[in-house]
Every structure is written in C-alpha cells, then in structure tokens.
Amino acid sequence: MFMRIDHIGIACHDLEEKIALFSSTFDLTVVAREVNEEQGVKEAMLHVADGEGGGSYIQLLEPLSPDSPVGRFLAKRGEGVHHVAFGVPDVERAMAEIGGKGVRLLDERPRHGSMGSQIAFLHPKDVGGMLTELVQAPTP
Ligand code: CMX
Ligand code: CO
C-alpha cells in the first residue's frame, strides 16, 4: 500500500527562520512554497530524495491562525514533528482499505495537498499516536 515516505511535516512558528535553518544545516533545497487555506497553513517543501512514484520531502508548516490544526498543535506541544505522510498509488483506494480496518478517516474525500497532490489524513489516536497523511502524487 505504501510506496515511500512522502514527507515529514514539521510545525513551526516562523517558516522563513526554519527554512533558513534546514537549508543551511542539511543542505536541502526548497522546491515549493504554498499557502493552503483549507489546511490553515503556509508551507515549504524541501527536497530530500527521489523514490518510487514521487519524491521525499521535509514539509515545514506555519499556521495561518491559532485556531487551525497546526496552530492548536503548536500551542499544546510546541514546535516539532506534526505528521508523517506516506506515498500511495491511489489515495481513494488506500482510504477505503484503511477505513475498512476501523481507522477513522479525518477526510471524507481526498483534498488538495502540496505540489498538486491528493491527500487524506488518518486519526492519530487510531494509529499509535502518529498523525498520518496519505499522499497521491500527481501523474507526471
Ligand atoms: N500528532 C499526534 N497526536 C495529535 C496531533 C498530532 N499532530 N494533533 C492532535 N493530536 C492528539 C491530541 O494530543 C489529542 O489527544 P488527547 O485527547 O490525548 O490530548 C487528540 O489528538 C485530539 O487533538 P486536539 O487537541 O483536539 O486537536 P485538534 O482539534 O486539532 O484535532 C486532528 C486533531 C488530528 C483531528 C486535527 O489536527 C486534524 O484534523 N488534522 C488533519 C489536518 C492537518 O493536520 N492539516 C495540516 C497539515 C497540512 C498538510 O500536511 O498539507
Ligand atoms: Co503534510
């Protein structure tokens, strides 16, 4: 079902500051920047490697408001790893299969993700405390 780790999402207060930190410390390059109103974030994708069906990235996330998933996470837990995203060939099929095993889906249908992807989230409480995202990369 999973082809690769698509990205690790990291919550931060100041996107520009963390882009500078990750670029200089790990020699990573920003390949996309986006404001995703639906997800309540301003974000940057830093390329790590290429893999099956797409790349692997670090996703830096700054909340657009305190009353958003990342805003609430920062208030409660502070900066750090917010979610892990797995690359899947077909997000709707993965949702049906995983949902069929009793895991709560946080999205009824796939939503718009970074760089033209289709995404869906799984409830962290049903998968060992890790907020999990499914990502279907756009067809090249
Ligand atoms: N990782 C692990 N556990 C988490 C979590 C996270 N990122 N966020 C919340 N939780 C836990 C909380 O600790 C809480 O547990 P307790 O009841 O034991 O305290 C429980 O889940 C409920 O959390 P909450 O404080 O009520 O927080 P929310 O109302 O924000 O709901 C969640 C949490 C996961 C349902 C919500 O954040 C969500 O729908 N997320 C999916 C969308 C998203 O995160 N978008 C931003 C990223 C966009 C992108 O990657 O492109
Ligand atoms: Co993500």
Side-chain angles (χ1 to χ4, degrees):
M1 191 179 321
F2 292 164
M3 297 187 291
R4 66 185 189 286
I5 291 177
D6 184 284
H7 63 267
I8 310 285
I10 298 177
C12 64
H13 291 291
D14 185 332
L15 184 65
E16 296 310 320
E17 183 192 290
K18 287 301 179 294
I19 288 174
L21 177 72
F22 276 72
S23 313
S24 65
T25 308
F26 301 130
D27 207 16
L28 298 175
T29 305
V30 175
V31 289
R33 283 171 184 264
E34 228 167 295
V35 171
N36 188 332
E37 300 275 354
E38 190 180 40
Q39 296 294 338
V41 294
K42 187 164 94 171
E43 58 157 273
M45 297 296 270
L46 284 72
H47 179 256
V48 177
D50 289 313
E52 194 191 341
S56 295
Y57 307 89
I58 295 289
Q59 180 183 45
L60 299 175
L61 301 159
E62 181 189 310
L64 292 177
S65 81
D67 184 27
S68 63
V70 176
R72 286 191 291 273
F73 179 91
L74 279 172
K76 244 182 158 171
R77 303 195 188 193
E79 295 187 312
V81 174
H82 177 258
H83 65 270
V84 174
F86 293 99
V88 296
D90 181 333
V91 71
E92 289 195 65
R93 207 176 67 204
M95 289 168 78
E97 274 184 39
I98 297 167
K101 293 175 187 173
V103 171
R104 277 169 288 170
L105 306 172
L106 294 171
D107 301 289
E108 273 177 39
R109 63 190 71 81
R111 294 178 187 273
H112 158 73
S114 313
M115 301 187 295
S117 62
Q118 293 288 307
I119 62 171
F121 286 89
L122 310 177
H123 201 293
K125 292 287 176 193
D126 295 349
V127 283
M130 178 178 81
L131 176 58
T132 303
E133 178 182 348
L134 308 172
V135 181
Q136 180 183 340
T139 29

